Amino acid sequence: MLLLTIVVMMVCPTFEKESLPGRRVPRRKKPQIPIEQREKSLVADLDVQRASGGVVLAAESLRSALFGVMAAMCFGEDVDDGIVRAMDRAMDDLVQCFLGLRVFVTLPAITGLIFRNRWRKLVELRRQQEEMYLPLIDARRVRPSGDGEPPAYVTRSWTSASRTSSQPQPQPAAAGASDDGDLVGLCSEFLGAGTEPAASALQWIMANLVKRPDVGEEVLGRLEYLNAVIMEGLRLHPPAPLVLRQTTSTSTAGVFPAGPAATAVHFPLAKLARDKKAWTYPHEFRPERVLASGDGEGLSLVAAAESAGEIRMMSFGAGRRMCPGMGIAMLHLGYFVANLVTEFEWAEADGHHAVDLQPHVGFFFVMKRPLRARLTRCRVI
């Protein structure tokens, strides 16, 4: 319970607003922020599956919960659950066809004719996004922010150029989108980039905890062990299979001579993080290595941002172009992992539902066989 309380305080601290003259503002004791709402829905969903006596479809439930959090952050907390599920399905369809869209990078006018079916699929997915996103965007335009309500991502993305409306339009909080098409693209990027890598990492972490139930017990008692579990999961299973960068005329990589400008360099993230020269037993899930006296002591993702320390893993990229959502992803992972091991005991299922840690390398680094598990309730509220 102490661990859960600390994590909740880190992610959603309670606060007390300044009292206005002649008006007392009560302390907000239990804020219902998006991540808390979705965590409760996730626990309820898993509990229903568990009570049925079958195998829990953990992978699908984890991803849906994370998408729900991102949807609330993007459009606000009052989006209908049915719309969220529809957006979730459309985003999953888009992610599944990402690799097939690479053919349109070169000579799109020609490849669009050759691969016309892929292009039609992309156009249809875009149409679906516009039908779902634009009403939510318009609703935020005419809706004043609620008392204490955090600003939605979309309200920080539009510019003064907006669709015709009789309602007064808010001024832009930041430059960016110039029309509705840009706004739809920004929202799609926010939802996809905020959901898919974190969902992949969360599934890998929980799969490793199923294989190592003793580690889950350690997480319940030590906050630093929770961080170690997340770091070790990201080391073994980075969300993206590789990072692509281009050299400049002065680029050097330290391990090979500088090439001509604009040379493409691929960094295979999983292989870099399993270097036998840097880690003992690099292919094993050992969170204790990140703790004091371990070979990963002092390991930090911030080192990859060129701030300090040795770069030994690049789960979110590195340098000035590293993932800007790293901080929120780490908070989401910590919050969900802490709650999932607090609410349930995770055990491996039998037969073809057993945990298989073989990866499927696509646009993201995901489990070849989606996570399935048997759960036992730890506590009843």
Side-chain angles (χ1 to χ4, degrees), residues 29-234:
K29 295 182 178 180
K30 194 172 183 181
Q32 289 291 311
I33 61 173
I35 192 171
E36 185 179 6
Q37 296 171 345
R38 292 298 169 176
E39 178 270 330
K40 289 183 177 180
S41 297
L42 171 61
V43 170
D45 175 35
L46 294 176
D47 205 27
V48 169
Q49 296 185 55
R50 177 200 63 81
S52 68
V55 174
V56 172
L57 309 179
E60 293 82 348
S61 298
L62 298 179
R63 184 188 175 281
S64 294
L66 283 166
F67 186 89
V69 173
M70 297 307 301
M73 292 175 64
C74 186
F75 299 110
E77 303 174 19
D78 57 349
V79 181
D80 181 78
D81 286 342
I83 297 177
V84 173
R85 287 191 293 270
M87 291 192 298
D88 187 6
R89 290 191 295 269
M91 180 58 65
D92 186 55
D93 289 343
L94 180 61
V95 171
Q96 296 302 320
C97 67
F98 268 169
L99 289 179
L101 301 180
R102 293 184 298 180
V103 296
F104 301 119
V105 175
T106 304
L107 300 175
I110 298 176
T111 54
L113 294 174
I114 299 175
F115 302 99
R116 60 177 62 89
N117 289 335
R118 297 186 193 181
W119 183 255
R120 289 170 183 164
K121 175 69 173 178
L122 179 61
V123 171
E124 174 61 19
L125 290 173
R126 173 68 178 202
R127 184 191 62 79
Q128 292 177 15
Q129 287 185 332
E130 291 178 349
E131 290 179 351
M132 290 182 287
Y133 295 177
L134 289 178
L136 300 176
I137 292 171
D138 284 340
R140 295 299 302 188
R141 281 181 170 137
V142 300
R143 169 188 167 190
S145 297
D147 185 23
E149 180 184 4
Y153 170 78
V154 70
T155 64
R156 294 181 173 272
S157 301
W158 59 52
T159 65
S160 55
S162 57
R163 298 166 66 204
T164 302
S165 173
S166 60
Q167 299 293 332
Q169 300 298 327
Q171 292 300 311
S178 60
D179 56 27
D180 285 345
D182 289 339
L183 281 174
V184 171
L186 287 171
C187 291
S188 177
E189 181 180 7
F190 181 82
L191 293 171
T195 300
E196 303 304 334
S200 171
L202 181 58
Q203 186 180 176
W204 281 113
I205 291 170
M206 297 310 300
N208 279 283
L209 291 180
V210 169
K211 287 289 191 180
R212 291 280 308 275
D214 57 308
V215 173
E217 296 175 2
E218 290 285 350
V219 169
L220 288 173
R222 302 166 62 188
L223 181 60
E224 66 270 20
Y225 211 89
L226 170 63
N227 179 68
V229 165
I230 295 173
M231 292 292 289
E232 181 70 350
L234 289 171

Side-chain angles (χ1 to χ4, degrees), residues 239-255:
L242 56 86
V243 167
L244 174 64
R245 293 290 183 266
Q246 286 187 335
T247 63
T248 64
S249 58
T250 58
S251 295
T252 59
V255 294

